[in-house]
């Protein structure tokens, strides 16, 4: 019979986390796997914990205080969590619960030694492992001691580290319950951890085993370095045997102690190769049972493995589903689009439906399968060439995969390669009218979409949108538009290559493209300077904006002296650019029109840091510098042998780049303009679903794919559990760092610059905008929280077009993600900002406020003393 307060481990399985906690549920599941031995034991259920918590009414008030704490306020968290623990440990175990535990001990042997282990309901989950957040006690002996340690496990739900972990992961303290696992002690010769996937690279075909002598606490506590074995395809392919001077062993009277290892044994492996392979085979069986890679704690007792814990490895980046067993190489879309944050399901599916190539979702991100192109010589050369110009780390990562024997099959040419950069530019005339025509086509298409969508609701809206997506792709794939983009990019590459060859000058095109016409993104940044001019002249408006909080502030602004003019200026800006936002490729992200407070700090920075008329002056200054550079370059070329020909060719390319490079930014503007129209229509549909009590909140549609939302609109039924699962998954995905390249084995390949021409200690990246600048680093992860002064250097993860308003007030740029032709690089060149992109972990290695020197010509960053 299953009691309310005590369950035998054999009665539990993975579906009963709410009753026996994550550890208890996994141990119960492990007990059911053929060939897997788990030390016998029982679980004190969450019902017991609930009853004990009810014995202390003061707990409610303490948890209220705890939930209000900032997780970074470590002293307050430490003080209040200790108070909660003391309260719980001070509660006597109720008689009926003590009797149930005693009966369970009687069945297993009351005089035996036990491990008493916490098992929280938010523990060992697919999205959050909570490893080490609560407590375990080993070699506990006697009824009274076991009862005392059960209370200590309950209290450990509120250790400082557990409280902080929950708050950072958005988990309410009140929703978590604690069960306690009580198991017969295993007294092992060796113990350790098995990862069924490589926890560093993510490779699912590689397992690693950490092993040491005695109990596993020696490894967990860092007392000793473990032996490390790497296993692939049933064979130990690498191993490191550590000098293991200490071990933790059980004491006869209870508890544990550190002991010295005999000198002759210290260099001996804790496991034989055969034992390691056998352990990994067990791990693969466990992995198959749980359906995902596992982090497994094991003990070796008399040449027999006992499994004492198994949890998901939550740090691995998921692998796209291919539906076959073939090798695949995936390239990150986010690194090309300058948006590596996790996307919600509606955002993912909308981008997939409007993209020009098939895309695969994994970990809240999108990837393109590059395997086919890499398998043919011409396709491989063309892809590596394009990737290398965009992001050298992606190219290096792809080459790393290609260097491995037979991972990518070699096939005959099937994908014709694009002509290499530096060759003849696309066949299009140097005619500014071409760009004007393309912009007008895009505007007309968006206007038609806005007009035609107004009357569409219900299932008819979704049918209309599917047709609109076809038009979306037609505009995006307009051959003339593609020619114009490539003309500007090819001319840029031609100028950089030829002027370095002829004049020894690096990245000369950076200056030649300053203040290029028709660049919608740079115009957006300058236009906000014009809005600041309106605000600066009205002190009451400035004072009002300094205290803005709600998103409805524009209505109140009109009541302030001069506020009507300021409101009109802001609304005019939003009419043109309000569809933009950080991470704008995700349709679910709030747009500036929806959250105009995002722009307020930038506006106030512009008011403080610039004089009136700054926009026109900056544009004219850039145009003048570009003209002076052109005159200088042409004069120096004419002085060379065959100089007139070289100068004439260069002049044509300068005209070409200035005609077309600005248009590079417009297609993205068109995409985002269309996305805002789609979003407004879908949110209106969501409001109808909320009014019909189908959805509790309109934002819930963000956690459904486009097709799933279509089904909900048709059926007026929604699976609330699915929505909650998607919310939980999205929260977990936010903590993951997407790789530039990912293989079907799960290996994240990062790539390297492989340069030896930078100073020691410098951070290496890609040079995208010439010049050298020294200044204060401002590490900004959220544009709305930017606080910049003139001369600051912006350091951030990535920049998409929405960051452009910040660019007018900074002196340099450093990003973790980016390439030569990505938006941040283009706008940095437009504004003449020295910039280095693709600097791995820049936001972690550079501290906010440090002085740094950005070498935009040579592609590295120095941290100054």
């Amino acid at each position: 019979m299953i009691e309310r307060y005590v369950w035998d481990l054999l009665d539990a399985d993975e579906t009963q986390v709410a009753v026996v906690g994550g550890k208890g549920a996994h141990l119960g599941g492990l007990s059911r796997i053929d060939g897997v031995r788990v030390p016998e034991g029982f679980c004190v259920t969450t019902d017991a914990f609930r009853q004990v918590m009810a014995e202390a009414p003061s707990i409610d008030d303490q948890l209220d205080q705890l939930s209000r704490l900032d997780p970074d306020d470590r002293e307050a968290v430490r003080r209040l969590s200790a108070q909660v623990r003391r309260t719980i440990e001070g509660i006597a175990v109720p008689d009926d619960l003590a009797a149930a535990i005693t009966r369970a001990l009687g069945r297993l042997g009351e005089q035996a030694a036990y491990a008493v282990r916490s098992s929280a309901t938010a523990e060992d989950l697919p999205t959050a492992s909570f490893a080490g957040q609560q407590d375990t006690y080993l070699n506990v002996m006697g009824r009274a001691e076991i009862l005392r340690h059960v209370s200590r496990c309950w209290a450990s739900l509120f250790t400082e580290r557990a409280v902080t972990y929950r708050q950072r992961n958005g988990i309410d303290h009140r929703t978590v319950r604690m069960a306690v696992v009580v198991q017969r002690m295993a007294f092992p010769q060796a113990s350790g951890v098995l990862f069924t996937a490589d926890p560093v690279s993510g490779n699912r075909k590689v397992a690693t085993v950490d092993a040491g002598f005695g109990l596993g606490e020696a490894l967990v506590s860092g007392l000793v370095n473990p032996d490390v074995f790497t296993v692939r395809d049933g064979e130990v392919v690498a191993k490191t045997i550590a000098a293991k001077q200490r071990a933790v062993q059980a004491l006869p009277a209870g508890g544990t102690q550190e002991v010295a290892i005999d000198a002759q044994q210290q260099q001996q492996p804790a496991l034989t190769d055969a034992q390691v392979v056998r352990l990994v085979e067990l791990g693969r069986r466990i992995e198959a049972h749980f359906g995902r890679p596992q982090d497994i704690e094991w003990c070796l007792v008399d040449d027999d493995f006992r499994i004492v814990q198994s949890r998901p490895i939550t740090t691995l980046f998921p692998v796209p589903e291919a539906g076959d067993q073939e090798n695949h190489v995936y390239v990150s879309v986010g690194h090309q689009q300058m948006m590596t944050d996790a996307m919600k399901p509606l955002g993912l599916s909308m981008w997939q439906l409007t993209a020009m190539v098939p895309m695969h979702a994994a970990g809240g991100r999108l990837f393109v399968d590059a395997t086919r192109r890499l398998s043919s010589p011409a396709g491989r050369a063309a892809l590596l060439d394009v990737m290398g110009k965009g992001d050298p780390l992606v190219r290096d990562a792809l080459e790393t995969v290609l260097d491995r024997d037979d991972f990518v099959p070699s096939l005959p040419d099937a994908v014709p390669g694009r002509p290499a950069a530096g060759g003849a530019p696309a066949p299009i005339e140097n005619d500014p009218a071409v760009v004007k025509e393309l912009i007008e086509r895009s505007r007309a298409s968006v206007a038609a979409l806005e007009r035609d969508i107004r009357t569409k609701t219900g299932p008819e809206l979704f049918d209309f949108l599917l047709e609109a997506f076809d038009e979306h792709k037609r505009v995006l794939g307009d051959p003339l538009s593609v020619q114009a983009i490539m003309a500007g990019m090819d001319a840029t590459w031609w100028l950089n290559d030829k002027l370095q060859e002829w004049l020894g000058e690096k990245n000369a095109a950076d200056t030649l493209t300053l203040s290029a016409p028709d660049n919608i993104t740079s115009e957006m940044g300058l236009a906000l300077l014009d809005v600041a001019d309106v605000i600066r002249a009205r002190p009451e408006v400035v004072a009002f904006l300094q205290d803005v909080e709600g998103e409805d502030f524009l209505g109140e602004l009109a009541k302030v002296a001069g506020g009507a003019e300021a409101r009109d200026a802001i609304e005019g800006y939003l009419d043109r650019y309000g569809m933009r936002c950080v991470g704008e490729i995700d349709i679910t992200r709030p747009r500036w029109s929806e959250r105009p407070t995002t722009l307020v700090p930038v506006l106030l920075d512009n008011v403080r840091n610039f004089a009136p008329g700054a926009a026109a002056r900056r544009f004219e200054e850039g145009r003048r510098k570009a003209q002076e550079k052109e005159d200088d370059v042409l004069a120096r070329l004419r002085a060379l042998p065959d100089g007139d020909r070289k100068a004439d060719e260069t002049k044509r390319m300068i005209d070409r780049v200035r005609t077309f490079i600005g248009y590079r930014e417009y297609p993205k503007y068109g995409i985002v303009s269309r996305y805002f129209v789609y979003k407004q229509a879908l949110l209106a549909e969501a409001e109808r679903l909320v009014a019909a009590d189908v959805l509790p909140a309109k934002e819930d549609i963000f956690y459904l794919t486009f097709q799933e939302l279509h089904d909900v609109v048709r059926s007026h039924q929604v699976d609330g559990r699915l929505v909650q699962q998607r919310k939980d998954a999205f929260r977990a995905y936010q903590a993951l760092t997407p790789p530039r390249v990912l293989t079907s084995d799960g290996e994240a390949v990062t790539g390297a610059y492989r340069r030896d021409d930078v100073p020691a200690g410098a951070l290496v990246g890609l040079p995208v905008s010439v010049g050298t600048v020294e200044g204060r680093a401002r590490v900004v992860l959220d544009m709305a929280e930017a606080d910049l002064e003139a001369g600051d250097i912006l350091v951030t993860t990535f920049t998409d077009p929405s960051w452009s308003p910040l660019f007018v007030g900074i002196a340099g740029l450093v990003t973790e993600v980016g390439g030569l032709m990505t938006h941040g690089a283009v706008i940095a060149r437009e504004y003449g900002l020295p910039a280095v992109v693709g600097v791995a972990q820049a936001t972690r290695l550079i501290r906010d406020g440090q002085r740094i020197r950005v070498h935009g010509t040579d592609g590295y960053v120095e941290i100054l003393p």
Side-chain angles (χ1 to χ4, degrees), residues 213-464:
F213 294 122
L215 293 167
E217 272 49 45
L219 302 187
V220 173
S221 65
L223 180 65
V224 298
N225 292 323
D227 297 339
V228 180
F229 301 85
T230 302
V231 178
R232 181 166 188 147
D233 298 329
E235 179 183 355
V236 175
V237 295
K239 60 184 172 182
T240 302
I241 307 304
K244 300 170 288 295
Q245 297 177 338
R246 312 284 295 172
V248 174
Q249 293 183 349
L251 290 168
T256 62
Q257 70 173 4
E258 293 179 19
V259 297
I261 300 292
D262 182 88
Q264 292 182 334
Q265 190 185 7
Q266 289 177 10
Q267 300 288 348
Q268 294 296 312
L271 297 177
T272 66
D273 284 8
Q275 287 171 328
V276 169
V277 170
R278 180 153 52 93
L279 175 60
V280 170
E281 288 172 352
L282 271 180
R284 293 295 180 209
R285 203 175 301 170
I286 293 168
E287 179 184 67
H289 176 84
F290 289 118
R292 56 179 57 87
Q294 297 287 298
D295 165 358
I296 299 166
E297 295 180 21
W298 55 268
C299 296
L300 181 68
V301 181
D302 299 328
D303 198 36
D304 189 18
F305 286 105
R306 312 289 172 86
I307 304 301
V308 295
Q309 189 163 344
S310 184
R311 62 171 72 92
I313 307 176
T314 58
T315 56
L316 298 178
F317 200 88
V319 180
E321 294 182 7
D324 59 38
Q325 299 302 311
E326 302 298 321
N327 290 342
H328 294 270
V329 182
Y330 301 101
V331 176
S332 165
V333 172
H335 284 82
Q336 312 303 311
Q337 290 294 332
M338 298 302 95
M339 212 296 275
T340 54
D341 290 348
M343 296 169 67
K344 296 185 178 79
L346 185 62
L348 289 168
S349 64
M350 292 285 281
W351 194 260
Q352 287 173 306
L353 286 165
T354 53
M356 302 299 289
V357 296
M359 293 183 177
H360 307 267
R365 279 79 171 187
L366 291 169
F367 295 84
V368 171
D369 188 346
T371 317
R372 181 69 182 173
R373 292 197 68 180
L374 290 171
S375 65
S376 70
R380 180 185 311 130
L383 182 63
L384 291 176
D385 180 60
V386 170
M387 291 291 109
K389 284 185 167 60
D391 185 338
L393 293 178
V394 173
R395 174 173 182 147
D396 187 79
L398 290 173
E399 289 177 331
T400 299
V401 176
L402 288 168
D403 286 343
R404 294 175 185 159
D405 293 341
D406 301 327
F407 189 86
V408 176
S410 183
L411 301 173
D413 279 339
V415 181
R418 189 177 67 77
I428 186 174
E429 294 297 323
N430 275 9
D431 185 357
V434 171
V435 172
K436 304 297 184 190
E437 178 187 347
L438 287 168
I439 291 173
E440 186 51 42
R441 285 187 196 178
S442 179
R443 287 175 178 165
S445 177
V446 173
L449 173 66
E450 291 174 329
R451 180 189 67 239
D452 296 342
I453 204 171
R454 287 175 189 152
T455 59
K456 306 297 190 293
T457 62
E460 183 187 8
L461 169 65
F462 289 82
D463 294 338
F464 172 83

